[in-house]
Each structure stands twice: as C-alpha cells, then as structure tokens.
Amino acid sequence: MSVWLQECPTCGYVAPDISDGDDRDRLFVQTERYAALREGPHFSRRSSRFLLRAAIDVARDDFERASVNTLCAARDADDCALGEVASGLRKIASRYLVGRSVPSVNLRLMSLDALSWGCS
C-alpha cells in the first residue's frame, strides 16, 4: 500500500502517477480545503495520501474511487491499531456509495466486508 500512491512534495497532489494530473486537479489542490486536509491531523503518512486522493476523487465526482481510497485509509488505521478511526473511515467510505449505482462487484464486496467489521 505504501507505493500505490505518489505525492508531489511541492503542491501535495496525490495520484497513482502524479504526472497524470490535469487542470481540474491542479485547481483543486490549490484550494483552502485541500490545504487544510494536507495539514492533518494524520495518524500516518500513508493514510494521509489515501484520504487526500479520496478528496480529489470526490472533487472529480468519482465516488467509487473515493470509497476505495477511504477504505485503504481504514485498513491503514487498522494496521496502526486505531479501531475507532478505522470504523469511522469505513462508514465514510460506505456513504460515498449511498444512492449510487455501483456496477463493480469487487467494490460491492469490499463495501460489505468493510461494513461487516462494525458488526459484532
């Protein structure tokens, strides 16, 4: 997971390949909202990257990718033994999909798995 996303050290743009950014991404990473997200607080650099990418995904109306990236941050929270944070992130990830058609079977299964973590 540590190598799945790159982060520009100058502007903070996060993507699987930071050379693939476009004008819309460039404008979004210059917003105060993105700057605040970059500042944290963060429990790990890896989770920060996934959450920053999820914010970019939301700005692009790509809620499926936002959900997947938020689930990755939740897994990182689990690795850091932060169960409550991970649970909260899973709930956020599932909200990105509420009321939307989710054609990907893999994403549906990931969402069900994520939500089942909160069940006892």
Side-chain angles (χ1 to χ4, degrees):
M1 283 176 49
S2 295
V3 297
W4 291 356
L5 295 174
Q6 299 174 352
E7 182 175 6
C8 175
T10 305
C11 70
Y13 175 64
V14 175
D17 181 349
I18 58 174
S19 66
D20 289 340
D22 61 19
D23 287 338
R24 184 171 45 168
D25 293 342
R26 196 172 354 274
L27 289 173
F28 181 70
V29 300
Q30 294 173 0
T31 64
E32 287 182 25
R33 177 176 175 232
Y34 193 79
L37 291 171
R38 279 186 77 196
E39 290 301 314
H42 304 289
F43 52 89
S44 80
R45 190 74 229 139
R46 182 171 46 190
S47 69
S48 171
R49 285 190 185 114
F50 283 111
L51 294 173
L52 288 168
R53 185 61 214 182
I56 293 168
D57 295 331
V58 168
R60 297 175 137 267
D61 293 329
D62 189 345
F63 297 100
E64 287 186 37
R65 291 295 328 149
S67 180
V68 168
N69 282 309
T70 304
L71 287 174
C72 288
R75 287 185 181 152
D76 188 52
D78 284 326
D79 290 347
C80 294
L82 298 169
E84 285 187 38
V85 172
S87 178
L89 289 170
R90 285 186 180 88
K91 289 175 186 172
I92 291 168
S94 67
R95 284 188 213 131
Y96 286 136
L97 304 177
V98 171
R100 297 180 186 359
S101 173
V102 181
S104 166
V105 172
N106 285 340
L107 184 53
R108 287 182 193 186
L109 291 173
M110 285 175 60
S111 297
L112 288 171
D113 181 52
L115 292 173
S116 71
W117 279 66
C119 300
S120 302

